[in-house]
Amino acid sequence: MNPMKVMDWQTKQLSELPRAGEGNWSSWLLENGYELINREALGYTEIELYENESDGVFAIYHPMYAGLDTESLYVNIASEEDARQLMNVAQQLVAGMDTMFNILGDEEDEDED
């Protein structure tokens, strides 16, 4: 299993964490003081918002979607407003992908007729 990409939102530094097992992303969040504060629909799955109250920063977990390797973690987001804006962008992109998949599926159904 490939590791998950992690981006420090303020420095834009990329790193990786295991998706599962020892030292995985969810353990890393807990060890670094992040707590889950919200989940929102993202297509058939959910995007998660975390807060580190002591440092005053936020993180977003973006799940894998439609078999695409979109699973990622964004950490050290300066404000809840910035984090929620990123979540909104992700939701808009997924809605657009859903529309595209539906159109492509309809075209394939028409081709079969």
Side-chain angles (χ1 to χ4, degrees):
M1 181 179 284
N2 293 332
M4 181 170 45
K5 301 290 184 207
V6 179
M7 177 187 271
D8 182 308
W9 194 250
Q10 292 185 49
T11 66
K12 304 303 185 216
Q13 181 178 353
L14 289 175
S15 58
E16 295 180 338
L17 287 170
R19 294 177 196 255
E22 189 174 329
N24 68 58
W25 66 272
S26 59
S27 297
W28 185 92
L29 284 171
L30 289 174
E31 290 166 9
N32 286 276
Y34 286 93
E35 292 183 23
L36 179 65
I37 61 168
N38 191 29
R39 285 188 175 110
E40 292 191 15
L42 188 68
Y44 60 83
T45 187
E46 294 177 322
I47 191 168
E48 298 176 345
L49 176 62
Y50 293 82
E51 181 179 17
N52 177 323
E53 285 188 16
S54 62
D55 293 337
V57 293
F58 296 82
I60 295 172
Y61 166 70
H62 187 290
M64 194 170 292
Y65 182 76
L68 302 173
D69 192 11
T70 58
E71 187 175 36
S72 50
L73 185 63
Y74 301 90
V75 299
N76 198 25
I77 302 169
S79 71
E80 184 173 356
E81 180 181 347
D82 289 347
R84 290 194 181 276
Q85 286 178 352
L86 289 171
M87 290 174 73
N88 288 337
V89 168
Q91 289 169 319
Q92 290 171 17
L93 288 171
V94 166
M97 287 175 29
D98 280 346
T99 300
M100 183 176 62
F101 290 150
N102 287 334
I103 290 170
L104 291 174
D106 291 345
E107 288 175 359
E108 286 178 8
D109 291 342
E110 289 174 8
D111 290 344
E112 291 176 3
D113 292 339

